[in-house]
Structure formats: structure tokens, C-alpha cells
Amino acid sequence: MALNPYTRKPLKVLAWLAAITVVLGALLFSANTWGTGSWTPKLGLDLEGGTEMVLQPKLVGAQKVSSQQLDQARGIIVQRIDSNGVSGAEVTTRGNDIVVSMPGEPSRQDEDAIRRSSQMQFRGVLVSGPGSPQPAPTSTGTATGTATGSPTGTATGTATAPVPTASGAATTTAKSALPGSFLQATTPPPTPSATTGAATATTGAATPTGTATTGATGATPTNPNDLAWVTPELQQQFQALDCSKPGVLDNIVNDPKKPLVTCSDDGVEKFILGPVIVDGNQIDKAAAGYRPLSNGQPSSTVEIQLSFKSAGAKAYGEASKRMVGLESPRNRMAAVLDNRSIVAPSFNEAILNGSASITGNFTIESARALANQLKFGALPISFTLQTREQISPTLGSEQLTMGLLAGLVGLLLVAVYSLFQYRALGFVTVASIAIAGLLTYLLITILGWSHNYRLDMAGVTGLVVAIGVTADSFIVYFERVRDEVREGRPLRAAVETGWRRARRTILVADGVNFLAAVVLYFLASSGVRGFAFTLGLTTLLDILVVFLFTHPVVGILAETKFFGGGHKWSGLSPERLGAKVTPRYVGRGRFAAPAATATQGSAR
């Protein structure tokens, strides 16, 4: 068949569809080559089974958990699971416990993201020191002198870890190119044995001066950065704390209105922190990314950018103005997550724009997970993992086989109907459904390893229903074309005119289906979301196939002798369709013979 201008355009459109299919196939092949993908879609909890985790509230003393706290915790856990791309998980309450059922084997990161409280607090540093006991000073180095309130004292030989001395002010660098950014000290904090203006140098212990006297008076300080918060009891607790021991902070009581003795996230440093200055519920937005350089290009440092609500921004700004003039370590603001300080940078200027930037030992994946946890809010209570066990599928392979069999039967019925109703044109319907099925398989399989999408029984039901939705679009198009042939138009003109009329109908019908799928996905329970997702996905693929395959193929077939000549088995025969035999008026006093390839004019 020679290529003419009428067939070149459809071939170009088909080339686009072929390119899309090849790209998806290449992605799937690459995923399997690298060992991270699979040739089959991942299955959901009801078809494959998975892991059940029972989370028990971690209560201290006489603390009790309310049903409102459990419901709030359940909602936050659902949001966290969804943000991690885990599809088909179920979160329920059982007494005072929360039961999480997830398909497959969740990673340690997924488990931590579920049960961690993610309670963010910003507290001022009052005292800091090494996180674990330090070796005794050698003969070449002894701690001498008493801090006088300015960084001029010296403390040598007191630690083998890279802790700084108080021989000079710690230098700081901006954490972001944005003005007023959160600042990170480029040198580690001073040891408690040389805390400037606050502690008397001793061998391995920090003793804030004047603390016992102030604490003994019983007066409660109003300034969260006041050293009067450091009582003898806190000093004793601080000195006894060994951050190198596992679980040392498990039973800590975190009262936002009182000081907190805690460790850094890596256990290298320990702190006495003042009361909470800004609570995590004042975080408005949280986003993870790479810290930009001065030229605007991203660096290799991962950061979490925070923006506060109005009350939090005001409190943070006032604290930064107050702390920027304090000596180290009291000019440091610790970001505390789940009772541990993840970073404790110092200020060198006031921050009044209501934003902050946090860096630490983050990967981009862990930073994004933490940003999601901060964004969705902290759990009202912390949980411990009580039990973790494998669970069997509730339906299993037999139901999956029956669902696939139902889809195959539906496909065969559609094929038989199309061939009976449209003769040879019905093969276009079968081919279109096959292309749609191939694209659906590629997308669902790729989403399985890229976004951990799981195909459950509800999703299989959506795929079966999609066969009828896809066939309906072809029927609308073919009937429009046949109507034009009945009106006496040549097949080429009937294809273009019928497409213009059918296109609008197809878009409206698929638009309604897609809108219903979106509403169902966001408002229905997790058991129905699989159906809504596959219905919406196949609806979009239906539009893609009709526009990039069905219409171009019918346009090419219209140029062939078999279809264009109106063969009786083509499905577009004017005689079988009962085409009008009267001349058709085409405007300006001209008439065209029915099914003719050229118009014939006659004066009226």
C-alpha cells in the first residue's frame, strides 16, 4: 500500500504509541536486570499475605491512653503508610493496641516510620558534654582553670573525641542560602568541663555554677535559656547518663514545660536542654532536599526545610534574638525528635522569617520520610512493637485465578460480540483491548517496584470492569462512523466526521468515569481503593489507546480496498448498513452521489 498524505499522519501517531510502549518495556527490563524489579505485579494483602504488627502504647507511670488518642494515632499511621507508597495496608485498633497489617515484609525504615512518635521540639541548650565516659587525662594533659564567662579558658587532654575547647568562639556557617537561615556550628560543642560562663572545669563532670542555690529557692524561671533550670538533680542525672548504652532513653519522661536530659542522635554528645521553645505542632510545612549553594546549585548536604505557623514563627524569632548574644553552648538550639537531639546548631543572627533548616546524618530517603512524619504530625503517644508475625492471605491464589478467569471470559465475550457486530472491523476492537491490556500490565508492574503498588482483589475487579469501559469507547466511535456511511458519505469522510462527533462523547464518558474513580479513591476505605485506582488508570489508558491506536488504524484501513471499497465483511458496507441512495447535498448548489469518492456538482 503506497503511503499517501492520509496514511502518513496516522502512522506518525502510531509511532508515538510504539515509543511509549517501548519506553515502558525498557523500564521494566532494566528493573529486572538490576535485580530490583519483577516481571509480575506485586500482590496485595488479601492475595499474598504479609506481616501483622501489634503496636502497644508506651506509658510511663500512671499514664493512660484514651480512645481519642488511639483514633488520632491510627489516622496518622495511615497517612505515614500511604506516604511511603505501601498499598493495601490495614490499620485497626484492638483494645488499647493498634494492629497494622501490611503486604510483604516491611523494611526497618517502614517499621520505624510507623511506630515512632515523631514529636519534634525546639529547646535551648543549657549544658553539653561528651555522650559517654571519657578516658582519664594523661600525664601530658590536665584540665586547668575555671570558665570565666568568655571563651578564653583552656581545657586540654580531657577527651579523645573531637570535642572543641573553649579557647575561642565557635565559628558558624549558614545552613542555607536563604537569609535568616538556621545555623550549624562547624565545630563540635564544648565539653561540660569547659562550658563558658556556666560550668566549673572538673574531671569529666559539668557543674553549672550558681545552679544549686537558685534551684533551692523554689522559684521557677521564666526564661527557657536561664541556667537556673539546672538543679542538682539534673546535674546528677546528666553526669550519670551514658549515651553509648542502648535503650538509655527508653523510659525518659518528656515534659515540654521542664528541662530535658538527653543525647544526640549519634550518641556522641549529651545535653541538659531547657523547656520547649517551639513545639512540633507549630510546624506548618516540611520538605526534604539538598541544601543549595551560594550560586543556587544543589550541594550534597541533605536538609529538611521547615516553616512555622504564626505563633511558632514569633516564638522562634524571639528566641533567636535572645540566644544570639549568649555564650556557647547556650546560643545553641537543639531540634529534639522523639527525645533525642538530631542537631543542635548555634545562632549568629536573629531568624525572624519563620523558617528553619535541619541537617544531620540524613540520606535523602530518610530525610523525606522524616519530613512526611513532621508534616502529618506527631503521634499523641509512642508505641513499642509487641508482636510481629506473618499472616496468610485472606483470599489466596484460587480467588485470583477465578478473577483472572472472569476477565478472560469477559474479554472473549467482547471479542465475539465485536466480530459478530462489526465483522472485520471487530479485529480493531480486539487489538485495541490487547494494547490497553499490555500497557496496563507494564504500568502496574512498574508501579509495583517503583512505588510499592500492590494489586489486590478489588484492583482485579477494576481491571475486569475496564474491559467493558474500553469496549464502550470503540462502539461509540464505530457507530458514529457507520452513521456517516448510512448518510451516504465516502468512508474517508465518514471516518473523520464520525471521529469528530465520537471524540467528544468518549472524552465526556471517560471524564465521568475518572472523576468517579478519584472521588471513590479518596473517600472510600482502603479495601475499595484498589478498585478505584485500577478503574482510574484504565480509564486514562482507554483515552490513550483510542486516540493513539484505534482512530489511526481505522484511518489507515479506510484507504484500503477491502474497507474503503465497502466489502460486505468489512463491517462498513454501505449496502449492509442501508446507506441512502439519494444524492447528498454538500453545499453551494452541489450534490454528491452516495458512497462516491468524489463530489458531483449540478446546478439547481
Side-chain angles (χ1 to χ4, degrees):
M1 181 181 63
L3 292 180
N4 56 54
Y6 293 100
T7 58
R8 289 173 185 165
K9 183 177 179 181
L11 287 177
K12 291 181 180 179
V13 176
L14 289 173
W16 278 105
L17 179 63
I20 294 174
T21 307
V22 169
V23 169
L24 293 177
L27 285 175
L28 184 58
F29 178 80
S30 300
N32 283 274
T33 302
W34 296 333
T36 58
S38 172
W39 291 108
T40 57
K42 289 185 176 181
L43 299 180
L45 187 66
D46 55 349
L47 299 177
E48 187 183 55
T51 305
E52 181 183 84
M53 296 180 291
V54 179
L55 305 180
Q56 187 178 41
K58 186 167 64 175
L59 306 177
V60 179
Q63 184 181 6
K64 296 182 179 180
V65 59
S66 65
S67 59
Q68 182 179 2
Q69 288 177 316
L70 283 177
D71 291 339
Q72 182 183 357
R74 177 189 172 277
I76 295 175
I77 289 175
V78 169
Q79 290 179 315
R80 291 180 180 180
I81 292 176
D82 291 342
S83 68
N84 288 335
V86 180
S87 174
E90 298 178 359
V91 183
T92 58
T93 57
R94 181 192 299 167
N96 287 338
D97 300 335
I98 292 182
V99 181
V100 181
S101 301
M102 301 175 62
E105 184 73 16
S107 64
R108 181 61 182 271
Q109 179 180 354
D110 291 335
E111 182 183 321
D112 290 341
I114 291 171
R115 64 186 180 91
R116 289 184 64 177
S117 174
S118 296
Q119 189 177 32
M120 174 69 77
Q121 297 172 337
F122 292 91
R123 294 172 177 259
V125 176
L126 300 179
V127 178
S128 65
S132 58
Q134 301 300 302
T138 64
S139 59
T140 58
T142 57
T144 61
T146 301
T148 59
S150 61
T152 57
T154 61
T156 61
T158 58
T160 58
V163 295
T165 65
S167 58
T171 58
T172 57
T173 56
K175 289 298 297 169
S176 162
L178 298 174
S181 59
F182 207 39
L183 302 175
Q184 169 72 51
T186 57
T187 58
T191 65
S193 58
T195 304
T196 59
T200 302
T202 61
T203 57
T207 308
T209 59
T211 304
T213 302
T214 307
T217 63
T220 302
T222 58
N223 183 354
N225 302 107
D226 194 341
L227 283 174
W229 289 103
V230 183
T231 63
E233 291 78 10
L234 282 179
Q235 295 180 44
Q236 184 178 3
Q237 184 181 352
F238 175 78
Q239 295 173 9
L241 179 63
D242 185 357
C243 296
S244 63
K245 295 181 179 179
V248 68
L249 299 178
D250 286 350
N251 296 322
I252 190 172
V253 178
N254 188 335
D255 188 341
K257 298 180 180 180
K258 296 181 180 180
L260 178 68
V261 178
T262 186
C263 302
S264 63
D265 196 41
D266 54 9
V268 174
E269 194 175 7
K270 60 183 177 180
F271 305 95
I272 298 179
L273 305 178
V276 172
I277 296 175
V278 180
D279 205 350
N281 56 16
Q282 291 298 318
I283 296 177
D284 185 28
K285 297 178 181 178
Y290 292 97
R291 187 180 68 182
L293 299 172
S294 57
N295 58 3
Q297 297 297 319
S299 66
S300 59
T301 303
V302 179
E303 69 173 355
I304 300 176
Q305 295 181 344
L306 305 176
S307 61
F308 297 105
K309 300 175 183 177
S310 57
K314 180 180 179 181
Y316 196 83
E318 292 176 351
S320 65
K321 289 191 295 183
R322 180 175 63 249
M323 296 172 64
V324 70
L326 298 177
E327 73 284 351
S328 180
R330 293 172 61 208
N331 63 344
R332 300 170 63 191
M333 177 81 84
V336 180
L337 179 68
D338 293 339
N339 300 334
R340 283 186 177 270
S341 171
I342 57 176
V343 67
S346 60
F347 291 101
N348 66 358
E349 63 177 342
I351 299 175
L352 305 177
N353 59 356
S355 63
S357 173
I358 298 177
T359 62
N361 296 323
F362 297 130
T363 63
I364 188 63
E365 291 79 11
S366 62
R368 287 170 179 166
L370 177 56
N372 284 331
Q373 295 169 33
L374 296 178
K375 180 170 57 178
F376 296 135
L379 293 177
I381 48 179
S382 299
F383 291 88
T384 57
L385 184 61
Q386 186 180 27
T387 60
R388 174 181 176 142
E389 58 185 9
Q390 298 296 317
I391 56 176
S392 303
T394 56
L395 296 178
S397 58
E398 183 179 352
Q399 280 71 15
L400 176 61
T401 303
M402 296 300 295
L404 296 177
L405 181 60
L408 180 60
V409 171
L411 179 61
L412 290 176
L413 291 177
V414 170
V416 170
Y417 171 80
S418 299
L419 294 175
F420 175 79
Q421 180 70 16
Y422 298 109
R423 306 298 192 275
L425 191 62
F427 287 106
V428 178
T429 300
V430 176
S432 299
I433 293 179
I435 295 295
L438 175 61
L439 293 175
T440 302
Y441 158 75
L442 291 174
L443 285 175
I444 288 181
T445 307
I446 290 173
L447 288 173
W449 64 264
S450 64
H451 292 77
N452 202 23
Y453 171 73
R454 300 273 180 167
L455 182 64
D456 54 12
M457 197 62 200
V460 174
T461 305
L463 295 179
V464 175
V465 173
I467 297 175
V469 174
T470 304
D472 183 64
S473 299
F474 307 145
I475 293 173
V476 170
Y477 179 30
F478 293 162
E479 289 300 327
R480 292 294 189 183
V481 173
R482 298 177 88 178
D483 287 344
E484 296 301 320
V485 173
R486 293 188 183 98
E487 292 294 327
R489 293 182 183 274
L491 183 57
R492 180 190 299 169
V495 168
E496 294 304 322
T497 305
W499 170 247
R500 286 194 296 268
R501 297 176 60 187
R503 179 176 56 194
R504 182 169 55 252
T505 304
I506 293 173
L507 289 176
V508 171
D510 283 343
V512 172
N513 286 334
F514 184 75
L515 182 62
V518 171
V519 173
L520 191 62
Y521 182 84
F522 286 103
L523 297 184
S525 62
S526 59
V528 186
R529 283 187 173 183
F531 172 81
F533 180 82
T534 53
L535 180 62
L537 177 65
T538 52
T539 299
L540 295 178
L541 290 178
D542 175 45
I543 297 176
L544 181 71
V545 171
V546 170
F547 275 73
L548 299 186
F549 181 79
T550 308
H551 173 54
V553 168
V554 173
I556 293 175
L557 295 178
E559 300 298 321
T560 64
K561 182 178 180 180
F562 181 80
F563 286 91
H567 193 279
K568 63 179 182 179
W569 290 103
S570 66
L572 296 173
S573 171
E575 292 81 7
R576 285 182 174 270
L577 295 177
K580 295 180 180 179
V581 296
T582 56
R584 182 169 50 86
Y585 180 69
V586 296
R588 294 187 178 182
R590 295 177 300 166
F591 291 84
T597 57
T599 59
Q600 299 177 356
S602 61
R604 192 171 192 180

